[in-house]
Amino acid sequence: MSHICHFKVRGNHIDIYQHVNNAMYLTYMEDARWEMFEDTGGLAWMTENKYGFVVVNINISFKAAAYMSDRIEVRSTFEPIVEGKRSGILHQSIYRGDTELASADIVYVCIDLTKERSLPFEGELLEKLNDWYQHYQRI
């Protein structure tokens, strides 16, 4: 099941070619990640534990244009979490109805905000990541 975040394309999302600028797709995806972590309680949990969820790489493919007033959605799913690893993959796709407009694989790490170092996926962090994976796993 994907986490789904809805958007309406506004005038400030459009470029001189009258479609959504490529950088805006990344903004939609980022906003969807924030919403997902708020919805799961993950943002509060990470803040309490002084952890950060940091994007270290994005590989995005643009497939079709979005236009003014389109209603779009960002679907977010996690790849399986591997114990002991320090990075994972979150997949996000943007759709207008059944048409996929863009898709991206986002590589993330979790960091200790006090030490500014990445953390291995173990213990309570691994449990939390696996909870998110179970809720939003990629099929």
Side-chain angles (χ1 to χ4, degrees), residues 89-114:
I89 297 174
L90 177 70
H91 182 77
Q92 292 186 287
S93 295
I94 300 176
Y95 283 84
R96 178 186 54 237
D98 292 332
T99 302
E100 187 176 39
L101 306 177
S103 66
D105 286 325
I106 292 100
V107 178
Y108 65 89
V109 298
C110 295
I111 65 169
D112 179 323
L113 293 172
T114 59

Side-chain angles (χ1 to χ4, degrees), residues 2 4 8 18 83:
S2 298
I4 297 175
K8 182 177 180 181
Q18 299 303 304
E83 184 173 5

Side-chain angles (χ1 to χ4, degrees), residues 13 20 28 34 50 60 63 66 68 70 78 81-84 92 109 112:
H13 304 171
V20 172
Y28 292 140
W34 280 102
K50 297 187 175 31
I60 188 167
K63 300 175 181 184
M68 181 74 155
D70 280 354
F78 281 92
I81 310 302
V82 179
E83 184 173 5
Q92 292 186 287
V109 298
D112 179 323

Side-chain angles (χ1 to χ4, degrees), residues 44-90:
W45 181 83
M46 291 191 95
T47 300
E48 271 177 36
N49 289 282
K50 297 187 175 31
Y51 293 159
F53 185 94
V54 179
V55 171
V56 295
N57 182 276
I58 297 176
N59 183 3
I60 188 167
S61 296
F62 300 101
K63 300 175 181 184
Y67 300 97
M68 181 74 155
S69 299
D70 280 354
R71 296 194 180 273
I72 62 173
E73 63 184 34
V74 177
R75 301 175 189 173
S76 304
T77 56
F78 281 92
E79 293 288 332
I81 310 302
V82 179
E83 184 173 5
K85 282 197 73 175
R86 291 180 179 262
S87 66
I89 297 174
L90 177 70

